[in-house]
Amino acid sequence: MTAVADPRNRRTALIAGAVALAMVGLAYASVPLYRVFCQVTGFGGTTQKAEAAPAAESLKALHGRTIKVRFDGNVRGGLPWEFAPAQGPVDVKIGEQNMIFYKAASQSAASTTGSATFNVTPEAAGRYFAKIQCFCFNEQTLNPGQQVEMPVVFYVDPAILDDPDAKDIDEITLSYSFYPVAQPSKAPGVYATGSSELAQKAR
């Protein structure tokens, strides 16, 4: 004799299935949403992207207030590159545009592509550290043995002085980690070809 399914059990199974599907969808959506959240709030030391530094007229009241910025770089996931900052710490005036360089060199016999993640410490400074130009905005491809200089153009937003949690920060560390990209996008990074020439022009 065939048992008749209990309608309550069927409804419970349907609800459980719907919840599972909703959780899967949320998991896929959470990554881009989390990135947007970090960009807007500076959460986790995420830096900001900007079009230009503040106008010179708006900086007169800062009286040359400076912050020391240190730089760190490394590679992860077996990417066969050497990657490091090209200079030591620099003292930057709040609100003024600055340019520094990182060096990358491929140790591979084949072309390789990497993508850089980034953050600043202390985390409270993340929302005030704005990058105008950066190799981290795109994937970067190096040819066998290629060595490049990659500039970063940035400024520290004067609004940091109005934040009770950040106004007393006198040192910031900018860190990058390059990871291998298994399937590079069709559009190469800005510094992927002729990187040294671009860096020289940026100077």
Side-chain angles (χ1 to χ4, degrees):
M1 182 175 183
T2 304
V4 178
D6 189 332
R8 289 175 298 180
N9 291 340
R10 183 181 302 172
R11 184 174 61 181
T12 300
L14 289 174
I15 292 174
V19 170
L21 288 174
M23 291 180 68
V24 171
L26 181 60
Y28 277 100
S30 63
V31 174
L33 288 175
Y34 180 76
R35 288 176 180 170
V36 171
F37 171 76
C38 289
Q39 286 289 346
V40 171
T41 64
F43 181 77
T46 302
T47 61
Q48 308 299 296
K49 185 175 180 179
E51 296 297 326
E57 308 83 65
S58 66
L59 304 178
K60 292 180 180 178
L62 297 179
H63 302 295
R65 168 74 186 275
T66 63
I67 289 182
K68 184 181 294 294
V69 181
R70 299 181 180 276
F71 308 98
D72 176 64
N74 57 77
V75 293
R76 306 275 186 178
L79 182 66
W81 292 7
E82 290 183 355
F83 173 71
Q87 68 286 297
V90 297
D91 291 319
V92 303
K93 290 184 178 180
I94 293 178
E96 287 192 357
Q97 180 173 303
N98 301 269
M99 178 183 295
I100 58 90
F101 290 82
Y102 274 77
K103 292 183 177 180
S106 173
Q107 307 298 306
S108 175
S111 294
T112 48
T113 299
S115 179
T117 61
F118 50 87
N119 75 317
V120 299
T121 52
E123 292 185 3
R127 65 186 305 175
Y128 304 109
F129 196 98
K131 290 182 289 190
I132 300 169
Q133 179 181 346
C134 181
F135 55 85
C136 59
F137 295 160
N138 305 94
E139 296 174 358
Q140 301 300 324
T141 298
L142 297 185
N143 296 322
Q146 184 178 11
Q147 300 181 29
V148 297
E149 284 188 331
M150 299 184 287
V152 180
V153 180
F154 70 94
Y155 69 91
V156 178
D157 193 325
I160 193 173
L161 300 177
D162 299 323
D163 186 338
D165 296 324
K167 66 179 182 179
D168 294 325
I169 293 174
D170 57 9
E171 185 173 301
I172 295 173
T173 298
L174 173 63
S175 300
Y176 290 97
S177 294
F178 256 110
Y179 290 83
V181 176
Q183 296 181 333
S185 61
K186 293 182 179 180
V190 175
Y191 311 110
T193 304
S195 300
S196 296
E197 294 178 9
L198 287 172
Q200 289 300 323
K201 290 179 181 178
R203 292 180 191 274

